Amino acid sequence: MFCKNCGEQISEHAEICIHCGVRVKNAVGEDKPNWGVNLITLCCVPLVGLIMFFVWKNEKPVAAKSALTFFLINIGIIVLFYALIFIIGLSGY
């Protein structure tokens, strides 16, 4: 395997390049959407998704994007709900 930073050949199992010192593997674990955070963001507390986006954006970009997406979906649902309530209120029902 080759280092993405310096291009030197390194071991397949290396986490850090021995030539330039740059981390070549993510030691945090797999980068996949965290469905627990996404569910909490969607149904309960949308702010959790926004916070997790900023926490994960450099370490876990896939999980961060997923949390931000669910945050935006929740905000969209809230805006639509209040717009509907406003329209119903104007119509006099």
Side-chain angles (χ1 to χ4, degrees), residues 8-92:
E8 294 290 328
Q9 188 170 4
I10 56 176
S11 169
E12 293 287 330
H13 305 290
E15 290 188 21
I16 298 174
C17 176
I18 59 172
H19 303 286
C20 66
V22 171
R23 182 171 302 280
V24 292
K25 287 188 181 176
N26 192 355
V28 175
E30 288 187 30
D31 183 16
K32 60 183 181 179
N34 185 322
W35 291 106
V37 169
N38 292 344
L39 186 62
I40 291 170
T41 300
L42 187 59
C43 72
C44 304
V45 187
L47 192 57
V48 169
L50 186 62
I51 291 169
M52 295 315 293
F53 169 74
F54 286 111
V55 169
W56 288 337
K57 71 179 182 176
N58 293 327
E59 298 170 358
K60 298 180 174 183
V62 173
K65 184 178 178 183
S66 176
L68 183 64
T69 301
F70 277 84
F71 166 76
L72 294 173
I73 290 170
N74 191 319
I75 295 300
I77 290 170
I78 291 170
V79 168
L80 287 175
F81 175 75
Y82 280 109
L84 181 64
I85 295 299
F86 180 74
I87 291 170
I88 290 173
L90 286 178
S91 66

